[in-house]
Amino acid sequence: METNLLVHKYTLQVASDIDAMATVVEWFNQFNNNQITYQTWLEGQTGLLEGFTNVVRHAHIHLSSETPVDLEVQISPEYFQIRIWDQGDIFDLEAALESFHQETSQSEFDPLEHEYQWGCIFFLKLRNDYGWTISYMRELENKNCLLLKKQLAGS
């Protein structure tokens, strides 16, 4: 049974500006510690940076750079999870991942010809090769949430 006393929650809000990436990276560095493995931290950082970049370059492209992006990390003995909230239009990430998975499965697929879709490649790798759960859904009237979650060893 999981108890909330064992869940550590950390939050950060930054502007929807690619220059805020330095702040995001600095904030995320605190999780490179003995609570999770370096490998899991690195995978999480990859997902976080790709997710944040997607918000700035896609979800918030028609919004002010002052539009907030909310970030959250939760760590428990059972899981490590990252949430990124945006205020863009809803996007069917699952359909995009499934479609792209079929493309990447073909032997002639060349990722260098799909630079615009590298984020899907990262998310597919995290999900299919490293055991991350990845979802993107409308949570509130004007907010979407990208959830990246990994079960930790021994849970």
Side-chain angles (χ1 to χ4, degrees):
M1 180 170 130
E2 184 178 317
T3 169
N4 286 339
L5 296 176
L6 298 176
V7 176
H8 301 280
K9 181 176 165 180
Y10 308 85
T11 60
L12 176 69
Q13 186 177 78
V14 293
S16 183
D17 184 330
I18 205 68
D19 290 337
M21 183 76 76
T23 302
V24 172
V25 168
E26 184 179 318
W27 173 75
F28 196 75
N29 280 340
Q30 70 184 303
F31 309 114
N32 184 10
N33 58 43
N34 62 1
Q35 288 183 286
I36 57 172
T37 66
Y38 178 74
Q39 176 73 32
T40 297
W41 174 82
L42 193 58
E43 294 164 9
Q45 184 185 57
T46 300
L48 172 70
L49 298 181
E50 182 56 38
F52 179 75
T53 301
N54 286 345
V55 170
V56 174
R57 293 193 175 148
H58 303 292
H60 287 179
I61 193 157
H62 299 297
L63 300 174
S64 161
S65 62
E66 295 304 311
T67 304
V69 179
D70 294 306
L71 309 172
E72 177 185 283
V73 166
Q74 285 188 12
I75 304 174
S76 82
E78 291 83 22
Y79 64 85
F80 177 58
Q81 82 178 18
I82 301 162
R83 284 190 171 114
I84 304 170
W85 285 275
D86 71 70
Q87 296 179 37
D89 294 330
I90 188 64
F91 173 74
D92 191 343
L93 178 63
E94 190 55 42
L97 289 176
E98 184 54 40
S99 171
F100 205 66
H101 176 69
Q102 290 178 13
E103 257 189 81
T104 60
S105 299
Q106 299 172 10
S107 60
E108 66 274 0
F109 177 78
D110 181 0
L112 297 178
E113 294 177 4
H114 297 272
E115 179 181 348
Y116 186 75
Q117 297 165 320
W118 282 352
C120 281
I121 293 173
F122 287 134
F123 289 142
L124 280 173
K125 289 291 264 178
L126 288 174
R127 183 177 76 182
N128 297 341
D129 297 347
Y130 297 101
W132 286 78
T133 300
I134 300 173
S135 65
Y136 182 75
M137 66 180 74
R138 179 74 97 191
E139 285 206 337
L140 301 168
E141 186 174 305
N142 65 342
K143 283 196 174 186
N144 306 303
C145 182
L146 174 65
L147 172 65
L148 308 165
K149 184 174 184 176
K150 180 157 186 174
Q151 294 298 124
L152 298 177
S155 55

